[in-house]
Amino acid sequence: MLTENAKKVLEKRYLKRDSEGNVVESYDDMFRRVAKTVASADAEYLGKEDIEKSEKDFYDMMIKLEFLPNSPTLMNAGRPLGQLSACFVLPIEDSMDGIFETVKNAALIHKSGGGTGFSFSRIRQKGAAVSTTGGIASGPISFMKVFNIATEAVKQGGTRRGANMGILRVDHPDIREFITCKANSTELNNFNISVGLTEQFMQAVEHDNMYELIDPSTKKTVGMERAKDIFDMIVEHAWLNGEPGIVFLDRINNKNTIPELGEIESTNPCGEQPLLPYESCNLGSINLLTMIKEDKSGFDYEKLERCVVKAVHFLDNVIDVNVYPNEKIAKNTKATRKIGLGVMGWADSLYAMGIPYNSEQALELGQQVMKFINEQSKKASMDLAQIKGVFPAYDKSIYPAQDIKVRNATTTTIAPTGTLSIIAGVSSGIEPVFAISYIRNIMDNTEMVETNPVFEEVARSRGFYSEELMRDIAKKGSVKYMTDVPEDVKEVFVTSHDIDPSWHVHMQATFQEHVDNAVSKTVNLRNEATLDDVREVFMQAYAMGCKGVTLYRDGSRAAQVLNIPKQQHKETVQSGTILIPKQRPRITTGLTEKFRTGCGNLYITVNYDENGEICEIFTNTGRAGGCPSQSEAVARLVSIALRSGIDTEAIIDQLKGIRCPSTIRQKDLGILSCPDAIGRMIEKVAKMNGELKEEVKRTIPYLHYGETKNSTDKNEKSFEGRRCPECKAPLESDGGCMICRSCGYSKCN
């Protein structure tokens, strides 16, 4: 049942290797290894025959791709590392001892392949007095950078790289610095960041009121801010590069199933798992596409129930066989026994049933299926409690008042399934499909068209399939404007960018209604989306009961995705890696200067993109003539190089010093040739890159005000933008992470 692509991803990132790096297990061996290890947790409660049955049940649902646990469980179960949790939340106290104790714990977690979430809200603001030393506090952002460097330096287990979540309460005095801390795409690249919004703040936004900034150490008011100003700042920077996201802290804590253990301050890196300090999350996902009836008339709820029961049993066992990074995490995780059962393949399931993602019918079905999974997971947890007992912190939970005895404090979470959905061969989580078809480089730059299997089946059965059509679809990603595709098929097979943002939020809110923890979902916006579009998404998420929301405007973070330091560019070119230029921004701003050449006047324009990065060069000659074609050619090539990430200094070095006879013959021109002038202009603007860059970043977003959502011809727009640094296939945004569905690359893999 595994696709060839799935097998390649497993071989590259999951299967056991020997000391020389050779793969020494098959995917079947991997599933048997995981099933045997997880089933062994039953030894204390069940007999040999029951344990063998559990092992068979676990193996069957994984090999049939009906259920898959999170990546660390697949990678590490039955292996020496033994760390099976995906993510952890660690507390940060306002002291040097506390901060660096957490740095140490984070390093150990990342070494084991886990990710970490932190709240920096307890750290006193920048400039506050430090009584013990008489010094001045450097603030939470400075310590975020320490955590970023520390986790960057850790070599993590060889297979999986963890990420970080950084959260700061909106009433922290340093909130402005936090919101803008990732405006520079070269900093804090190991962090996702989210602003922790309170009910008080959101009400102040709605009524255009001021709100208080609170000193975290004294709990006293130290300032006031206009709520709308801060909210607009969040909106602007989310528009610029997708960060920060937002989490609704009060809403999360109102739904906390164990309120007596303390307040939830942070989530895991993707935001779907709010956790108390020193807790870890153990997640798994049911493949909904395998739960559809043979006639595709709906879900087989009897089959789904059986899968839920086995999956809850599996995830609960993971807690017991897990090898935790330290004793505190082991103790707190076992005290609450939180699990997070979610889904994947939702969009493909809708395709198979002929239901558009952006429809009321899809929302109704989503509510029905998630309510069923949530209810059945509680029943399964209750059944386990009769055999194995309730979770140790049960008396501090909400359940005694409800007269419910459960094994797990929470049972459901919607996580981004990333590489898991690639293994299963289905769409990720509850995300819409990103592209119906795309082109994948397989070897020696040989291209292969990858098509959504459900769409391909429909296309073949309806008689409109052709290799040429699939290749044409791959250029745009969508079938929306394909004349060879029937209208009723177009209506069903919508993709992320075909769907109005409001439907993204509606779907997230629908699933959230029946999920204990939270829902990881990215609201994908087209590149031409405006600040008002972003603001609307955030307000809608708040109004509809979401616990948080992440968005990504297509093409806004292309440079950051590759994460290639400047000093590596030359090596990248020499190694033969194909550099793909970013799509040209629709709105730019820049400077123009006139140069006198030996052939007449040359006007050179250097433009910046919305992130304040030099992205293109234009030249124009005066009436005196000159060599416009050569100048234009140089400018075009330089523009492509800039948008491909080539170091600006390297470009300047190549252009400066080129001599032209017509220029040499004349004195006092100040330049040696047209290319020399272009190099000098780039150098001049680059040296202004401080205040000018910040001004550009402040200005460009506001140029989008008043634009219509259909300001570009979507029919003509090709499918471009983010490309995988490993295989050059398109990247898609999934739960705040960039995922390649071709090779399995992601920020966390």
Side-chain angles (χ1 to χ4, degrees):
M1 295 180 66
L2 287 171
T3 65
E4 288 303 311
N5 195 39
K7 293 176 183 177
K8 289 177 182 177
V9 170
L10 285 171
E11 181 176 328
K12 185 175 182 179
R13 305 184 188 277
Y14 288 79
L15 303 182
K16 286 170 62 174
R17 295 175 179 269
D18 62 20
S19 58
E20 297 180 354
N22 301 309
V23 176
V24 293
E25 78 175 348
S26 67
Y27 61 87
D28 185 78
D29 294 333
M30 179 193 72
F31 289 135
R32 291 190 184 279
R33 164 173 57 79
V34 174
K36 185 178 183 66
T37 302
V38 175
S40 69
D42 288 337
E44 186 178 345
Y45 306 96
L46 303 174
K48 182 180 178 182
E49 290 186 3
D50 289 325
I51 295 172
E52 289 175 351
K53 183 180 182 303
S54 294
E55 183 179 338
K56 184 180 184 303
D57 286 343
F58 297 163
Y59 169 78
D60 285 346
M61 67 177 179
M62 287 189 288
I63 197 69
K64 293 176 182 177
L65 304 176
E66 296 173 350
F67 164 87
L68 290 175
N70 52 216
S71 289
T73 300
L74 290 176
M75 292 172 178
N76 299 329
R79 298 172 68 176
L81 185 61
Q83 202 289 102
L84 312 185
S85 297
C87 300
F88 305 75
V89 163
L90 297 175
I92 302 178
E93 303 295 337
D94 187 30
S95 70
M96 280 297 179
D97 287 346
I99 290 169
F100 282 94
E101 176 69 17
T102 301
V103 170
K104 180 191 77 173
N105 288 330
L108 292 172
I109 288 170
H110 281 250
K111 184 180 178 181
S112 72
T116 42
F118 312 95
S119 171
F120 291 87
S121 302
R122 300 185 194 183
I123 298 178
R124 71 194 75 183
Q125 67 269 30
K126 181 190 289 187
V130 182
S131 58
T132 54
T133 64
I136 301 296
S138 57
I141 311 312
S142 66
F143 287 108
M144 278 183 67
K145 294 176 180 179
V146 172
F147 279 81
N148 188 71
I149 293 169
T151 54
E152 175 72 28
V154 176
K155 183 172 178 65
Q156 303 183 38
T159 49
R160 185 178 190 270
R161 176 184 178 184
N164 297 304
M165 169 65 83
I167 289 178
L168 194 74
R169 287 178 61 95
V170 73
D171 53 15
H172 192 284
D174 289 349
I175 189 60
R176 286 180 175 270
E177 184 182 5
F178 179 80
I179 293 168
T180 60
C181 70
K182 292 199 66 177
N184 183 345
S185 62
T186 64
E187 293 189 349
L188 297 168
N189 284 333
N190 291 318
F191 268 92
N192 297 328
I193 64 168
S194 289
V195 179
L197 303 184
T198 63
E199 285 296 314
Q200 182 185 18
F201 173 81
M202 291 305 300
Q203 290 172 16
V205 171
E206 291 183 326
H207 297 96
D208 196 11
N209 291 335
M210 305 292 286
Y211 79 103
E212 297 175 337
L213 300 178
I214 309 297
D215 184 322
S217 56
T218 66
K219 308 302 180 184
K220 294 181 179 178
T221 301
V222 293
M224 300 289 291
E225 287 277 10
R226 182 174 176 248
K228 275 193 174 182
D229 289 345
I230 298 300
F231 192 75
D232 285 348
M233 182 179 285
I234 297 170
V235 167
E236 176 186 331
H237 283 269
W239 181 91
L240 282 170
N241 64 9
E243 294 196 86
I246 57 176
V247 294
F248 300 111
L249 287 177
D250 289 341
R251 185 170 291 169
I252 286 172
N253 279 289
N254 287 338
K255 300 291 185 179
N256 183 4
T257 58
I258 325 169
E260 291 186 37
L261 287 186
E263 185 177 343
I264 293 174
E265 299 177 316
S266 186
T267 73
N268 70 327
C270 297
E272 79 275 7
Q273 190 69 41
L275 293 168
L276 292 163
Y278 295 111
E279 280 189 311
S280 61
C281 59
N282 301 285
L283 309 177
S285 300
I286 292 173
N287 180 358
L288 290 177
L289 189 60
T290 65
M291 300 293 140
I292 294 177
K293 295 177 181 178
E294 288 188 11
D295 63 2
K296 299 178 181 179
S297 61
F299 289 109
D300 183 342
Y301 284 99
E302 290 183 2
K303 182 180 180 180
L304 181 57
E305 180 184 353
R306 292 193 296 271
C307 188
V308 170
V309 171
K310 290 185 287 187
V312 169
H313 183 187
F314 181 106
L315 293 174
D316 183 71
N317 278 17
V318 168
I319 297 169
D320 293 319
V321 299
N322 200 350
V323 178
Y324 297 92
N326 65 47
E327 193 54 41
K328 280 187 179 178
I329 293 171
K331 180 182 177 182
N332 286 15
T333 301
K334 291 177 179 179
T336 58
R337 303 192 69 85
K338 290 179 179 177
I339 61 173
L341 179 61
V343 299
M344 58 181 164
W346 171 240
D348 280 342
S349 298
L350 293 175
Y351 282 172
M353 291 183 280
I355 301 172
Y357 189 100
N358 50 342
S359 68
E360 291 294 335
Q361 187 180 359
L363 296 178
E364 291 171 5
L365 185 60
Q367 184 175 61
Q368 183 181 13
V369 73
M370 197 63 224
K371 181 181 180 183
F372 181 85
I373 291 171
N374 192 47
E375 289 175 348
Q376 295 304 315
S377 69
K378 297 295 183 295
K379 290 180 181 178
S381 186
M382 291 166 66
D383 290 341
L384 283 175
Q386 290 183 350
I387 301 170
K388 300 182 177 183
V390 297
F391 60 94
Y394 173 82
D395 291 340
K396 295 180 172 60
S397 74
I398 63 172
Y399 297 110
Q402 302 174 12
D403 197 24
I404 297 173
K405 292 185 176 181
V406 289
R407 177 69 169 166
N408 314 95
T410 65
T411 60
T412 47
T413 302
I414 303 292
T417 53
T419 48
L420 294 182
S421 61
I422 298 172
I423 296 169
V426 295
S427 57
S428 178
I430 62 165
E431 300 283 1
V433 170
F434 187 73
I436 295 295
S437 184
Y438 63 90
I439 295 173
R440 179 163 66 94
N441 291 319
I442 50 177
M443 59 176 66
D444 299 327
N445 294 325
T446 300
E447 291 183 344
M448 180 178 176
V449 178
E450 295 278 351
T451 303
N452 179 278
V454 185
F455 178 81
E456 183 173 337
E457 182 182 347
V458 170
R460 290 184 183 278
S461 66
R462 296 278 296 271
F464 63 85
Y465 178 88
S466 71
E467 292 291 339
E468 184 181 0
L469 176 62
M470 300 305 113
R471 187 168 289 274
D472 287 343
I473 294 171
K475 294 176 182 177
K476 295 179 172 62
S478 169
V479 298
K480 188 174 182 178
Y481 298 99
M482 294 291 158
T483 56
D484 293 336
V485 179
E487 289 299 321
D488 64 314
V489 176
K490 291 182 191 178
E491 184 180 342
V492 171
F493 286 88
V494 290
T495 60
S496 296
H497 291 298
D498 297 331
I499 299 167
D500 187 88
S502 65
W503 286 106
H504 285 267
V505 181
H506 266 88
M507 191 64 73
Q508 180 176 339
T510 295
F511 276 82
Q512 182 63 79
E513 188 177 348
H514 300 288
V515 169
D516 291 335
N517 296 302
V519 175
S520 179
K521 168 121 186 37
T522 299
V523 179
N524 281 288
L525 303 176
R526 299 184 69 89
N527 181 261
E528 62 267 21
T530 68
L531 292 172
D532 284 336
D533 293 327
V534 175
R535 184 177 292 102
E536 186 178 338
V537 167
F538 284 167
M539 294 304 296
Q540 188 182 7
Y542 173 67
M544 297 193 72
C546 296
K547 291 184 178 179
V549 66
T550 301
L551 58 83
Y552 181 77
R553 183 174 62 85
D554 194 46
S556 65
R557 208 191 308 168
Q560 188 175 343
V561 170
L562 299 179
N563 195 20
I564 302 173
K566 287 186 177 181
Q567 64 267 25
Q568 293 181 355
H569 287 310
K570 291 182 181 179
E571 295 178 8
T572 303
V573 175
Q574 292 171 0
S575 68
T577 300
I578 300 172
L579 296 179
I580 300 184
K582 293 187 290 181
Q583 194 174 9
R584 182 197 179 275
R586 195 165 50 83
I587 296 179
T588 60
T589 188
L591 298 174
T592 302
E593 185 169 340
K594 181 176 76 173
F595 291 83
R596 202 160 57 87
T597 76
C599 302
N601 293 329
L602 176 68
Y603 298 85
I604 302 174
T605 300
V606 177
N607 280 344
Y608 283 85
D609 63 16
E610 66 269 20
N611 296 315
E613 303 293 340
I614 299 175
C615 64
E616 64 184 359
I617 311 295
F618 288 106
T619 61
N620 191 25
T621 56
R623 294 182 179 180
C627 25
S629 58
Q630 289 94 331
S631 298
E632 183 180 350
V634 171
R636 288 190 178 194
L637 289 172
V638 169
S639 298
I640 290 174
L642 288 166
R643 294 203 299 276
S644 298
I646 302 298
D647 188 14
T648 305
E649 292 181 5
I651 295 171
I652 295 168
D653 288 343
Q654 292 296 316
L655 296 176
K656 282 183 65 179
I658 294 176
R659 295 173 177 266
C660 173
S662 63
T663 301
I664 295 171
R665 288 193 293 268
Q666 297 189 41
K667 297 180 179 180
D668 304 323
L669 291 179
I671 62 166
L672 302 176
S673 65
C674 293
D676 180 66
I678 293 171
R680 290 173 185 270
M681 181 62 177
I682 297 172
E683 183 178 46
K684 180 178 180 179
V685 176
K687 287 179 178 178
M688 301 167 62
N689 224 15
E691 295 181 4
L692 179 61
K693 186 173 180 177
E694 290 303 312
E695 180 61 30
V696 169
K697 289 159 66 176
R698 285 192 298 270
T699 302
I700 287 185
Y702 295 98
L703 299 180
H704 289 256
Y705 279 126
E707 296 181 355
T708 63
K709 295 182 181 180
N710 299 314
S711 58
T712 61
D713 188 349
K714 298 176 184 177
N715 190 16
E716 298 299 320
K717 186 173 181 178
S718 62
F719 182 63
E720 298 288 346
R722 304 157 294 168
R723 297 280 172 174
C724 175
E726 294 187 7
C727 72
K728 307 307 170 198
L731 288 172
E732 58 186 87
S733 185
D734 183 4
C737 194
M738 299 299 180
I739 300 292
C740 175
R741 296 193 64 80
S742 176
C743 71
Y745 165 86
S746 76
K747 239 169 93 173
C748 299
N749 273 319

